[in-house]
Amino acid sequence: MADLVGIVRRGWYYIVAGTMLGLLAAYAVLSNLSPVYKASSRIAFERTLPRYLQSNKITNEPIIDDYDTLGQTYVISSESIVLPVVKALSLTTDPEFVGGQGTESLGSRIRGLFRTAARAVSLQEETSQEVPTQETLEKATVDAILRNLAVTREDVASVINVAFSSKDPAKASRIANAVVDTYLEAGIAGKLKSTKIAGKVMQERVEELKRQAGDAERALLDYKIANNLTGNSRGAANEQLTTLQSHLTSARVAMAEARARMERAASAGPDNSFAVDDGLITRLRSQLSDLSVRANDFESRVGKDHIATVKVRNQMKELREAIANEQQRISGSFSKDYELARARYDEISSTMTNLMGEEGANSHTQAKIRELENAADTLRGQYNRAVQQLSEMGKVETQPSIAPDAIVLMRASPPTQTEASKKRLLILAGGSLLGFLLGGCFVLQRDFPFGVFRTSQQVTDVTGLFCAVLPAVEGAEEQASVQTGEYTLNAPYSRFVETLRNIWALINVAQQKSNAKVVCVISSVPGEGKTTVATNLAAHFARHSTTRVLLVDADLHHPSLTERVVPDAKVGLKEALLEPKNLSKYVMRKERLNLDVLPCPISDRVPNAAELLGTAEMGQLVDTAREAYDLVIIEVPPMAAVVDYKMIARHCDRFVFVVEWGKTSQRIVLECLNDASAFLDRVVCIVLNKVDPSSLRSIERYKGDRFHHYYSDERQA
């Protein structure tokens, strides 16, 4: 969020400029818009009246539901509705719809331009102008009206808004009302036509059912005469079977009840509650209960062996035997009842079986008669229902319902304001917002902060290391001098050289603390400018001090340093590793820069580059350079690409890490620093290279204009 706020603060004038341009564009659009008036009419689909007519069988017309109203918007804006309006209002002679190109709006002109371009190829061979026919004029007028007609459904599903735009307010309202009236009239006409067609179809259906019912009844009568049958074939036999079935059911129930009473009586004992309705058993049980109470009382007073107690017990025994005899008698009567009920059930069942057997002997004839009777009854019922429905439809036809599907809630009236005046604030606000967004997008694209490094503070916050900002050098001649290291001589007061002095000061502090002599320039990926940084840093050290400096090209894959600084070198690092003590034999001198260079001239990539940099000879070569020079600057291949830097890292005292501004991913930089954690404490600084000068001035705007007074990019003699 802090980066975004900083970007907006630095580029606010672009956002303001974009907003002003958006306002100007919106004003230009408003100035070029022709005055257009929009008249609106509103209709609602009525369901109460059609439902009342249907419930009272006055009409069978369908009702338009909510989900059908969306389809009605397409019906209203169809050619079948618009063409009658064109003919009724004679719009084929109106120059606003046919001809009249000078009165078209800006949008119509643009659409016409595209249509003309699309038809250009087919019209190239036409040499004469043909007079348009009436059909062509009507087609063109319908197309023009449909372009200016807007039919939309309101927030209420059953309400539709019909709007028409025109340069004449009276014409706009007249056409909008005409479209609504034509739609309602077309709906009524369609209903009448549908009713007539349905009545004709129903009349034909009634005649057909009448003929089929007559044929079925004649077939039934002929079959009865042929088989000497009179009356209803379902009469006596069916009635007798129904009666027997009812008696059989009653006999089955009576038999089940008698059997249940018999089984219950057989399983009951003297003390059981069976046959509570019998008076004798009830009295005996009452006496038995009283004797039981007396026996218990005597037993508790005089003992169970006393003569009074024994006498009461004997009386209780006699009562139990009497109860058992009475229950046995009742159980015998229940058995007789069950036998009688069973005999009646068997008799009725036998009679019913015999009757069904007699009927089965004549089953084919009876089945055929029933089939013919069913067919005749079915056709007669269908015929009666069809006659009734035809009668109801006849009433509707004689007095047709002309209730439309929709009612007009609001008729269109001539508008007093143009569409542009109604939308003026909206257009101005939209233009301003669009310009604001475009300005913001330009500023964000110019200083996009996410995933890359844009400011030195951002580098320090992410890596925890000091960051030096090295601006990009503009101009072809200046860029050529930067690649060869001579820019430090040509523009000693530039911001570029001042940053090199800052790095020089950091290295001097390291030399004073730990006698650091070997500095390695590294980067994450190719193309970040480490060759340029190493060359110009070495040139600045060598030219502006008494320090003896050696620049070593240790990139055995792509020796760009050698190609820029000493392109005519024949021998270099690879040969020096064979004689590490004779370093001076392979060093080339750049007198103008006061700089010694150990090049790396190779015709092709060295497959064992890492192994060569990790040999003992390389250590001897670096030790020889330490003895001969005050400062040794080594350029190695990118860290993320190859592992060469790991092999030579142990010979280096300090490191300068180069990161390209606005391009190198923060993630890959952190990965490389994490991979190089063993010598992370020896990194002097991170160089944010190739910073865009205009963006740098915007980023450092808080420092004021006087901050740049000490910098000058003028070329020195």
Side-chain angles (χ1 to χ4, degrees):
M1 292 301 299
D3 293 337
L4 289 176
V5 171
I7 290 173
V8 172
R9 185 183 295 118
R10 294 192 297 270
W12 64 269
Y13 44 88
Y14 291 110
I15 299 177
V16 173
T19 305
M20 296 303 297
L21 288 176
L23 275 174
L24 292 176
Y27 182 76
V29 170
L30 288 173
S31 301
N32 285 277
L33 285 176
S34 300
V36 177
Y37 297 88
K38 177 181 284 189
S40 300
S41 180
R42 188 172 297 166
I43 62 175
F45 288 92
E46 176 63 34
R47 302 182 183 87
T48 305
L49 181 58
R51 285 174 180 161
Y52 172 78
L53 296 176
Q54 281 190 357
S55 62
N56 290 275
K57 300 186 181 299
I58 300 175
T59 180
N60 289 323
E61 297 169 355
I63 301 174
I64 296 179
D65 294 322
D66 290 342
Y67 58 84
D68 293 330
T69 56
L70 184 59
Q72 295 302 309
T73 60
Y74 294 97
V75 175
I76 297 174
S77 59
S78 65
E79 187 175 351
S80 61
I81 301 298
V82 176
L83 184 57
V85 174
V86 173
K87 293 179 179 180
L89 300 180
S90 301
L91 298 179
T92 54
T93 59
D94 194 325
E96 184 177 350
F97 306 114
V98 180
Q101 297 295 327
T103 61
E104 291 184 351
S105 64
L106 179 61
S108 300
R109 293 176 186 175
I110 295 175
R111 289 193 296 267
L113 180 62
F114 281 107
R115 288 195 298 271
T116 303
R119 294 195 300 264
V121 177
S122 61
L123 295 177
Q124 286 179 354
E125 298 179 358
E126 295 184 2
T127 57
S128 61
Q129 187 75 18
E130 296 182 359
V131 178
T133 62
Q134 182 65 21
E135 183 180 355
T136 304
L137 292 175
E138 290 177 353
K139 179 65 176 174
T141 306
V142 169
D143 292 341
I145 290 179
L146 289 177
R147 285 196 299 270
N148 296 315
L149 180 66
V151 183
T152 56
R153 190 166 68 168
E154 298 293 333
D155 51 353
V156 179
S158 59
V159 178
I160 289 181
N161 187 65
V162 180
F164 186 79
S165 301
S166 174
K167 300 179 180 65
D168 184 358
K171 186 190 300 181
S173 62
R174 188 168 64 253
I175 293 177
N177 289 327
V179 170
V180 172
D181 295 338
T182 303
Y183 169 72
L184 297 179
E185 293 172 359
I188 295 174
K191 289 181 178 182
L192 294 175
K193 184 178 179 181
S194 300
T195 303
K196 292 180 180 180
I197 295 175
K200 184 178 179 181
V201 172
M202 183 57 66
Q203 181 65 41
E204 295 175 354
R205 177 61 176 164
V206 167
E207 296 296 334
E208 178 66 19
L209 288 174
K210 182 179 179 181
R211 184 186 61 79
Q212 292 178 358
D215 293 342
E217 290 178 353
R218 281 193 297 271
L220 175 61
L221 183 59
D222 293 342
Y223 188 80
K224 286 183 177 181
I225 294 173
N227 291 275
N228 296 321
L229 297 173
T230 58
N232 191 351
S233 63
R234 303 177 186 177
N238 287 342
E239 185 176 354
Q240 189 175 2
L241 282 174
T242 303
T243 304
L244 288 174
Q245 182 67 37
S246 176
H247 291 170
L248 183 64
T249 302
S250 300
R252 184 185 296 112
V253 173
M255 183 179 67
E257 292 177 351
R259 182 177 180 179
R261 287 196 299 269
M262 180 186 69
E263 291 177 350
R264 185 178 178 186
S267 60
D271 296 329
N272 199 292
S273 61
F274 173 70
V276 293
D277 294 335
D278 186 79
L280 178 59
I281 291 180
T282 301
R283 289 194 302 272
L284 292 176
R285 283 178 177 168
S286 177
Q287 294 175 9
L288 180 62
S289 177
D290 293 340
L291 290 176
S292 178
V293 172
R294 291 174 59 187
N296 292 333
D297 185 32
F298 288 163
E299 186 175 348
S300 62
R301 290 182 179 182
V302 297
K304 63 180 179 178
D305 296 330
H306 194 270
I307 185 171
T309 304
V310 173
K311 184 178 180 180
V312 173
R313 295 292 183 186
N314 292 334
Q315 291 177 359
M316 290 176 61
K317 182 177 180 182
E318 292 174 357
L319 287 175
R320 288 192 181 96
E321 291 176 355
I323 291 174
N325 293 333
E326 182 64 18
Q327 287 182 345
Q328 186 175 3
R329 184 187 64 80
I330 294 174
S331 178
S333 65
F334 284 164
S335 299
K336 293 179 181 180
D337 291 340
Y338 172 70
E339 291 175 0
L340 291 174
R342 179 61 183 266
R344 178 172 173 75
Y345 174 78
D346 293 340
E347 180 183 357
I348 296 174
S349 178
S350 176
T351 303
M352 190 173 179
T353 302
N354 294 333
L355 182 60
M356 292 179 66
E358 293 175 0
E359 186 179 355
N362 199 20
S363 60
H364 177 72
T365 303
Q366 296 297 331
K368 183 64 177 179
I369 290 177
R370 283 195 296 272
E371 179 182 352
L372 293 175
E373 287 177 345
N374 290 334
D377 291 344
T378 301
L379 290 172
R380 176 59 61 182
Q382 292 179 358
Y383 171 73
N384 293 334
R385 288 192 297 272
V387 169
Q388 183 181 1
Q389 189 173 2
L390 180 62
S391 176
E392 294 173 355
M393 293 181 66
K395 295 177 182 178
V396 175
E397 237 181 280
T398 56
Q399 295 179 350
S401 170
I402 57 174
D405 291 328
I407 60 174
V408 179
L409 298 179
M410 181 185 68
R411 296 190 66 83
S413 59
T416 58
Q417 288 185 326
T418 64
E419 283 297 292
S421 62
K422 294 179 182 178
K423 299 179 180 179
R424 183 180 302 276
L425 292 179
L426 181 62
I427 294 175
L428 291 175
S432 302
L433 180 61
L434 182 61
F436 177 83
L437 293 177
L438 289 176
C441 290
F442 176 77
V443 171
L444 190 61
Q445 184 272 337
R446 187 168 175 264
D447 293 324
F448 190 75
F450 304 113
V452 295
F453 293 107
R454 292 282 183 178
T455 64
S456 59
Q457 185 62 42
Q458 192 178 12
V459 175
T460 302
D461 293 341
V462 173
T463 64
L465 299 172
F466 175 78
C467 177
V469 178
L470 197 62
V473 177
E474 300 175 336
E477 185 176 353
E478 285 76 7
Q479 290 179 358
S481 63
V482 166
Q483 292 184 356
T484 59
E486 296 181 355
Y487 186 75
T488 57
L489 306 179
N490 300 335
Y493 306 112
S494 63
R495 177 70 180 274
F496 182 91
V497 177
E498 187 61 30
T499 301
L500 296 179
R501 292 192 183 98
N502 194 2
I503 302 172
W504 180 23
L506 295 174
I507 295 176
N508 278 336
V509 172
Q511 286 180 327
Q512 294 174 6
K513 289 183 177 180
S514 58
N515 194 28
K517 285 190 175 183
V518 180
V519 178
C520 182
V521 180
I522 55 178
S523 68
S524 301
V525 293
E528 296 191 81
K530 58 180 175 54
T531 300
T532 301
V533 172
T535 302
N536 286 272
L537 187 62
H540 181 76
F541 268 97
R543 187 72 176 116
H544 297 285
S545 67
T546 58
T547 304
R548 295 170 298 167
V549 181
L550 173 65
L551 178 61
V552 180
D553 186 358
D555 192 343
L556 296 171
H557 301 274
H558 300 287
S560 55
L561 189 151
T562 300
E563 295 172 358
R564 295 179 182 180
V565 182
V566 282
D568 54 345
K570 303 300 181 183
V571 293
L573 176 62
K574 189 176 180 181
E575 290 76 16
L577 290 176
L578 301 176
E579 299 180 87
K581 297 299 184 179
N582 296 326
L583 173 63
S584 59
K585 180 180 177 180
Y586 303 99
V587 170
M588 298 188 66
R589 181 72 176 173
K590 298 291 292 185
E591 291 296 341
R592 188 168 187 269
L593 300 177
N594 191 30
L595 177 66
D596 289 345
V597 180
L598 179 59
C600 185
I602 56 175
S603 58
D604 199 2
R605 294 183 62 176
V606 178
N608 60 336
E611 289 77 2
L612 290 176
L613 296 179
T615 58
E617 288 78 6
M618 185 66 193
Q620 296 177 7
L621 184 66
V622 172
D623 292 340
T624 303
R626 285 178 185 274
E627 296 173 0
Y629 296 94
D630 299 321
L631 180 64
V632 180
I633 297 178
I634 304 176
E635 184 206 3
V636 297
M639 300 173 64
V642 292
V643 299
D644 296 18
Y645 77 96
K646 294 182 179 180
M647 309 306 294
I648 202 173
R650 62 178 180 270
H651 305 303
C652 302
D653 302 322
R654 292 292 183 272
F655 294 86
V656 175
F657 198 112
V658 180
V659 176
E660 185 175 2
W661 177 84
K663 287 189 177 181
T664 305
S665 167
Q666 295 183 12
R667 182 176 178 179
I668 196 170
V669 170
L670 292 176
E671 286 181 359
C672 292
L673 290 176
N674 185 56
D675 196 32
S677 57
F679 57 85
L680 189 60
D681 57 335
R682 289 182 281 165
V683 177
V684 175
C685 66
I686 292 180
V687 178
L688 191 59
N689 193 28
K690 301 182 183 180
V691 180
D692 180 65
S694 60
S695 297
L696 183 60
R697 285 192 294 271
S698 176
I699 293 171
E700 295 180 343
R701 186 177 298 276
Y702 69 95
K703 296 182 179 180
D705 296 333
R706 291 177 294 177
F707 172 75
H708 302 280
H709 288 173
Y710 275 79
Y711 301 140
S712 174
D713 293 333
E714 294 182 1
R715 186 181 181 86
Q716 301 295 314

